[in-house]
């Protein structure tokens, strides 16, 4: 499945908390790139909260249903990870991990109480997070003769293209970066400009 033109994610970690009948639920949201990232964040939460009863979490990496998962960490099935995952879906973010650390307060909350608590702690963390729109970009290397520079520059001026690196001699080399959504247009414009010469 190809990347969309843009998607939502969070800029940096944030946290929020929720209390119910003596139990404390601390929600965390993290921007993550991959499973390795997720493992690191969960491990650091375990170090940070060695006395916590549960650390339940959910994440959504890419854009397919298979890239979203949750873990109840010993809570009754579906009472923790699933409500956390639902807050990720309702916030419509990608490449995001949400973890909720639970300190047990001595009173059982029952499944409906747990669902509510994990959901609220996740929402509290989201309300502290900054959600931004991310536009996937593409990089491209291009070589051409110096005589074609005028045609090349016309394309560069026409589209929002960033020049990352360049070497200009008789043969010119450029490393360009542009939004994925205009990739086809940019490539075709460069093709035309540099072959029509």
């Amino acid at each position: 499945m190809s990347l969309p033109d843009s998607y939502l994610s969070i800029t940096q970690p944030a946290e929020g908390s929720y209390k119910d009948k003596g139990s404390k639920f601390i929600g965390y949201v993290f921007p993550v790139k991959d499973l390795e990232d997720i493992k690191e964040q969960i491990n650091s939460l375990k170090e940070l909260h060695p006395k916590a009863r549960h650390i339940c979490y959910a994440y959504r990496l890419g854009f397919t249903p298979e890239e979203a998962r949750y873990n109840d960490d010993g809570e009754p099935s579906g009472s923790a990870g699933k409500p956390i995952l639902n807050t990720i879906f309702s916030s419509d973010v990608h490449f995001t991990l949400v973890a909720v650390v639970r300190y047990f307060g001595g009173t059982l909350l029952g499944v409906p109480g747990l669902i509510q608590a994990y959901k609220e702690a996740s929402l509290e963390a989201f309300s502290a997070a900054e959600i931004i729109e991310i536009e996937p970009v593409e990089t491209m290397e291009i070589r051409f003769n110096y005589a074609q520079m005028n045609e090349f520059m016309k394309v560069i001026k026409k589209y929002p293209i960033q020049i990352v690196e360049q070497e200009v001699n008789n043969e010119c080399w450029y490393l360009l970066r542009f939004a994925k959504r205009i990739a086809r247009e940019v490539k075709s414009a460069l093709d035309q400009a540099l072959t029509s010469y």
Side-chain angles (χ1 to χ4, degrees), residues 44-145:
S44 66
L45 284 178
K46 284 176 180 169
E47 283 172 29
L48 193 63
H49 298 280
K51 292 187 163 67
R53 176 69 68 93
H54 302 280
I55 298 178
C56 307
Y57 61 92
Y59 62 84
R60 185 187 201 184
L61 286 174
F63 304 91
T64 63
E66 298 77 46
E67 291 168 294
R69 290 253 171 12
Y70 66 85
N71 184 320
D72 290 316
D73 191 35
E75 290 281 34
S77 178
S79 68
K82 203 164 190 172
I84 296 171
L85 184 60
N86 287 338
T87 65
I88 294 176
F89 287 143
S90 63
S91 300
D92 196 26
V93 289
H94 298 266
F95 298 98
T96 302
L97 163 70
V98 180
V100 177
V101 175
R102 180 188 184 187
Y103 284 93
F104 186 55
T107 306
L108 293 173
L109 301 179
V111 169
L114 288 172
I115 290 172
Q116 183 66 19
Y118 280 103
K119 176 184 157 189
E120 289 302 328
S122 305
L123 291 173
E124 284 299 318
F126 267 119
S127 68
E130 186 190 349
I131 294 176
I132 54 157
E133 189 173 357
I134 292 174
E135 198 171 42
V137 291
E138 209 169 281
T139 53
M140 172 188 180
E141 283 189 58
I142 189 161
R143 290 178 191 280
F144 54 89
N145 294 326

Side-chain angles (χ1 to χ4, degrees), residues 182-194:
I182 59 165
R184 192 175 286 142
E185 281 173 75
V186 167
K187 287 172 183 172
S188 131
L190 284 168
D191 245 14
Q192 274 181 322
L194 300 175

Side-chain angles (χ1 to χ4, degrees), residues 7-79:
Y7 61 91
L8 299 176
S9 193
I10 60 163
T11 53
Q12 53 199 39
E15 68 177 89
S17 64
Y18 177 78
K19 287 190 176 87
D20 190 7
K21 293 179 183 159
S23 278
K24 187 176 184 190
F25 297 82
I26 308 162
Y28 293 89
V29 293
F30 301 98
V32 286
K33 293 187 300 294
D34 51 31
L35 291 171
E36 203 47 51
D37 239 4
I38 290 166
K39 209 183 288 177
E40 274 176 38
Q41 296 295 2
I42 297 300
N43 287 337
S44 66
L45 284 178
K46 284 176 180 169
E47 283 172 29
L48 193 63
H49 298 280
K51 292 187 163 67
R53 176 69 68 93
H54 302 280
I55 298 178
C56 307
Y57 61 92
Y59 62 84
R60 185 187 201 184
L61 286 174
F63 304 91
T64 63
E66 298 77 46
E67 291 168 294
R69 290 253 171 12
Y70 66 85
N71 184 320
D72 290 316
D73 191 35
E75 290 281 34
S77 178
S79 68

